[in-house]
Amino acid sequence: MNESPTARQLTPTASQPVVTMVSGPVLKTCPSSSLSMNELVEVGKERLLGEVISLDGDVATIQVFENTSGISPGTKVQGLGLPLYVELGPGLIGTIFDGVQRPLQYLHHQWGDFIQRGRIGNPLDRERLWDFSPLLSKGEKVASGYILGDVVESELVTHRVLVPPEIEGTVDLIVPPGKYTLDDVIANVKASDGTIHALKLFHRWPVRKIRPYAKRLLPAEPLITGQRVIDTFFPLAKGGTAAIPGGFGTGKTITQHQLTKWTDADIIVYIGCGERGNEMTGVLVDLPQLLDPRSQRPLIERTILIANTSDMPVAAREASIYTGITIAEYYRDMGYDVALMADSTSRWAEALREISGRLEEMPAEEGFPAYLASRLAAFYERAGQVETLNNKKGSVTLIGAVSPPGGDFSEPVTMHTKRFVQCFWALDKEMASARYFPAINYLQSYSGYSRKVEPWWRENVDSGWLELTEKAMQMLQEDAKLQNTVKLLGEEALPDDQKRIIEGAKLFKNDFLQQSAFDAVDTYASPQKQFLLLDIILYFFDRLAEVVTVRIPLFRAMELPVVVKIHRLKFTHKGDDPAPFLAIRQQIDQEIGTLLQQHHESSF
């Protein structure tokens, strides 16, 4: 792998700017005539990478993506003539990058565990040979987003080499099938004005610019996660947006790990944005060892990791979100469903706050910049299911963790995030402390996709899905109201019809909502199993109404042998076979019927 990209081989200009002020990761330089907005720059002899974020007269403001210790006024700054970009091509899958797409594995191999300032490397390996299979021939007309050919990137992902955006014309040259490096020209496209565009296996794209698509589609297909509380009550659509807010220790990272493993997306992009190093270490160590449930191949073969921990420079943390979403859009353009996990957007917002403070901007709520809401909106807006430029359908689903201080959901990042996401999975500290997983509070959470994905559930699972979920949620809400009375007077003070609601909700919370991430059977529930389990619990709840109506003590029904079998259903039946659930339903009818008959006989 080469050490420096071609863009860095530039000669100094006549009016080379120099540093005039240093404030942490923020520098001011003068003159600015040779620099442009959002241009990448190199600072000093160590060639620290930075980005122009403001131009005011003859003064340019730069945020540096590395530690600026030792930088002093008079240090020279060199513009690179390019915006902050990512390289998009084969080799992304399975690679670990930092926030500005430096390959951490390569840097570790070259310079050890501690990355020194100014150390860089090409994001994608220039020496590796890729087996390219062309899909076009000479003379064909192509435009932005057309597929030139395929490269097998991993056992799970076929990489579709795309014509870069803003290029169209006629194929003047296409190489035969064979092995090529990223720097080899695989095709020439002749534009209408005679310009020849030499295309390679990779191209660059500015991270702050949305990649183009043909048409945005309405989300209608659920992103199945295998987590019952999510799929059944607060479903997420492919191309949708979701937030997982929760205080320290409520299980945000574990929930995202479960989603990473079990969600039915084709590609996973995981961004560790400002999280603790030990958490990211767990991801980096465990993920390569996990098997993809669908293929039994290592999960890393369809995963891209971006690690920018809390001890890394804040400017690179701010950029990491954009690096991740641009890579996700690239695979979306190939026709894949991509799920992006951002852990966490609160740390990203804190990076914005620190940089804003260094810029001496007027602070808004809790010191965050006034443009926090617009930055969050711009990020979540890049989610969506689209028709790509090559007439395929792809999606980017954004799932962002939010870490409100003290679990206060009224703080700015959480409140603004709620404005821009359709799913809100609120994690509860008390539930997490009680070892309840997932600790999603069903009274504070919501989803705007329930009605949109209902046709999919009706067609692929059962027509009664929405009716049963609404019935179960109504039961849980009634239970929450009754709990206030129970705290004051005790459960024994309630009549049996209200006790039935409490017992039914207890059964539902323990045997449906609660799910073990470590049990081989319970860790994932298919949509069919989720519906069957929901249906059997609600059926037993309905039959309890008959017991209460004839004044049979409720505890006698709750002591029936079938209750134990209901408790064990989620652990004993992994597949979608309805036979075990039908057998339980028959046993419910038999035992409830016997109980009613005994009561009737004793009455006479």
Side-chain angles (χ1 to χ4, degrees):
M1 180 179 284
N2 301 326
E3 182 178 343
S4 302
T6 305
R8 297 167 71 89
Q9 310 304 319
L10 300 174
T11 57
T13 59
S15 56
Q16 187 170 12
V18 295
V19 174
T20 59
M21 188 206 75
V22 182
S23 178
V26 175
L27 310 178
K28 289 187 181 294
T29 66
C30 184
S32 64
S33 56
S34 63
L35 301 176
S36 57
M37 190 65 181
N38 294 126
E39 182 180 359
L40 279 179
V41 299
E42 289 177 340
V43 180
K45 295 180 179 179
E46 294 176 292
R47 305 171 76 181
L48 307 183
L49 198 64
E51 179 189 20
V52 178
I53 58 175
S54 172
L55 291 172
D56 183 11
D58 206 27
V59 177
T61 304
I62 297 169
Q63 64 175 359
V64 181
F65 301 120
E66 300 190 60
N67 191 335
T68 57
S69 298
I71 300 297
S72 61
T75 303
K76 292 182 178 181
V77 176
Q78 173 64 53
L80 300 183
L82 291 169
L84 180 62
Y85 64 85
V86 289
E87 291 187 353
L88 303 171
L92 290 169
I93 295 292
T95 306
I96 305 167
F97 302 104
D98 75 347
V100 290
Q101 212 196 10
R102 290 182 297 187
L104 296 181
Q105 293 150 309
Y106 169 74
L107 297 182
H108 172 264
H109 176 73
Q110 290 292 108
W111 293 289
D113 293 339
F114 297 96
I115 303 173
Q116 300 177 8
R117 295 192 307 175
R119 302 299 189 186
I120 65 166
N122 281 313
L124 303 177
D125 193 341
R126 296 295 196 273
E127 298 175 0
R128 182 173 175 180
L129 292 171
W130 296 96
D131 198 356
F132 174 70
S133 301
L135 298 178
L136 299 175
S137 57
K138 184 177 179 180
E140 290 192 56
K141 291 187 178 296
V142 296
S144 302
Y146 277 46
I147 300 175
L148 291 172
D150 289 340
V151 169
V152 177
E153 189 169 5
S154 73
E155 292 290 335
L156 303 180
V157 178
T158 298
H159 192 107
R160 292 153 188 157
V161 182
L162 306 176
V163 175
E166 303 172 1
I167 291 180
E168 60 180 65
T170 304
V171 177
D172 192 52
L173 166 71
I174 188 80
V175 297
K179 295 185 178 295
Y180 302 92
T181 68
L182 294 182
D183 284 328
D184 291 331
V185 175
I186 59 168
N188 284 336
V189 174
K190 187 176 182 179
S192 57
D193 61 0
T195 304
I196 300 294
H197 298 282
L199 306 185
K200 302 179 180 180
L201 288 177
F202 81 103
H203 66 273
R204 295 173 177 143
W205 186 259
V207 299
R208 303 188 190 277
K209 183 178 179 181
I210 299 175
R211 287 181 62 87
Y213 51 84
K215 183 172 65 175
R216 184 180 286 268
L217 306 174
L218 293 176
E221 182 180 351
L223 185 76
I224 300 301
T225 68
Q227 311 306 299
R228 290 186 291 268
V229 65
I230 291 177
D231 293 342
T232 300
F233 287 110
F234 313 111
L236 175 60
K238 288 183 177 178
T241 54
I244 311 178
F248 175 77
T250 53
K252 298 183 297 297
T253 301
I254 294 298
T255 302
Q256 286 200 324
H257 290 184
Q258 277 291 93
L259 298 178
T260 298
K261 183 176 181 180
W262 293 107
T263 186
D264 65 344
D266 301 311
I267 307 290
I268 303 294
V269 179
Y270 188 95
I271 307 173
C273 178
E275 288 302 295
R276 294 179 297 278
N278 60 336
E279 286 192 0
M280 279 308 301
T281 300
V283 175
L284 301 180
V285 171
D286 295 343
L287 200 60
Q289 300 175 1
L290 294 177
L291 294 180
D292 179 26
R294 295 181 293 180
S295 62
Q296 297 304 306
R297 296 285 306 174
L299 188 60
I300 197 70
E301 291 183 1
R302 63 180 181 94
T303 304
I304 301 164
L305 296 171
I306 297 174
N308 214 95
T309 54
S310 55
D311 62 336
M312 290 182 175
V314 292
R317 185 192 310 175
E318 187 268 342
S320 64
I321 290 288
Y322 299 102
T323 298
I325 189 63
T326 304
I327 293 173
E329 288 176 337
Y330 176 58
Y331 281 94
R332 174 207 69 190
D333 293 345
M334 298 182 200
Y336 289 116
D337 293 317
V338 185
L340 184 144
M341 313 289 173
D343 189 12
S344 77
T345 55
S346 291
R347 306 289 176 255
W348 171 74
E350 288 169 4
L352 284 179
R353 178 167 61 184
E354 181 169 342
I355 294 171
S356 176
R358 300 285 186 178
L359 294 172
E360 300 179 356
E361 296 174 335
M362 183 67 71
E365 301 172 88
E366 296 189 16
F368 288 104
Y371 47 80
L372 172 65
S374 61
R375 291 287 183 89
L376 282 168
F379 170 62
Y380 283 107
E381 187 181 88
R382 293 176 73 167
Q385 187 173 54
V386 304
E387 181 183 312
T388 66
L389 298 177
N390 49 51
N391 297 321
K392 292 183 177 291
K393 186 171 72 171
S395 66
V396 172
T397 307
L398 295 187
I399 303 172
V402 186
S403 308
D408 179 15
F409 288 179
S410 65
E411 60 88 36
V413 180
T414 308
M415 291 301 295
H416 288 309
T417 299
K418 289 180 72 174
R419 295 167 54 193
F420 308 123
V421 299
Q422 290 291 305
C423 278
F424 191 76
W425 302 328
L427 298 180
D428 188 275
K429 180 66 175 178
E430 292 185 5
M431 294 172 69
S433 300
R435 299 295 187 267
Y436 193 100
F437 180 84
I440 295 177
N441 189 312
Y442 46 82
L443 298 178
Q444 295 183 5
S445 304
Y446 61 83
S447 171
Y449 298 115
S450 296
R451 296 282 178 178
K452 297 175 182 177
V453 302
E454 191 269 339
W456 184 93
W457 281 85
R458 184 173 62 244
E459 180 180 346
N460 294 277
V461 181
D462 193 277
S463 59
W465 173 79
L466 186 61
E467 179 185 352
L468 288 187
T469 57
E470 290 178 345
K471 182 177 179 180
M473 182 54 69
Q474 182 181 1
M475 176 181 65
L476 292 171
Q477 291 171 344
E478 291 177 359
D479 170 72
K481 295 177 183 178
L482 291 173
Q483 289 302 325
N484 295 325
T485 304
V486 171
K487 291 177 182 178
L488 291 173
L489 305 176
E491 190 174 329
E492 295 302 320
L494 298 178
D496 272 2
D497 59 337
Q498 293 182 347
K499 286 182 182 178
R500 179 180 76 98
I501 294 173
I502 289 179
E503 290 294 338
K506 191 183 301 181
L507 195 69
F508 197 79
K509 287 184 282 189
N510 292 334
D511 299 330
F512 187 87
L513 297 181
Q514 193 171 13
Q515 194 166 350
S516 173
F518 301 104
D519 185 86
V521 175
D522 195 37
T523 185
Y524 174 85
S526 67
Q528 289 76 14
K529 178 180 177 179
Q530 293 184 43
F531 176 82
L532 291 169
L533 193 58
L534 174 67
D535 179 61
I536 201 71
I537 292 174
L538 290 177
Y539 181 72
F540 180 70
F541 176 71
D542 289 340
R543 294 303 307 266
L544 287 180
E546 300 177 38
V547 175
V548 171
T549 300
V550 298
R551 299 183 181 278
I552 298 176
L554 188 64
F555 74 88
R556 292 184 59 188
M558 298 308 297
E559 291 176 348
L560 294 174
V562 73
V563 175
V564 177
K565 290 192 174 181
I566 294 175
H567 288 326
R568 294 176 178 172
L569 268 175
K570 64 179 183 179
F571 298 112
T572 53
H573 298 289
K574 185 175 183 178
D576 306 330
D577 183 8
F581 295 88
L582 291 175
I584 296 293
R585 179 184 281 256
Q586 292 173 358
Q587 187 174 348
I588 291 173
D589 290 337
Q590 180 182 354
E591 294 184 3
I592 293 290
T594 301
L595 191 63
L596 292 173
Q597 183 178 358
Q598 291 175 348
H599 175 75
H600 179 74
E601 292 174 353
S602 64
S603 300
F604 293 94

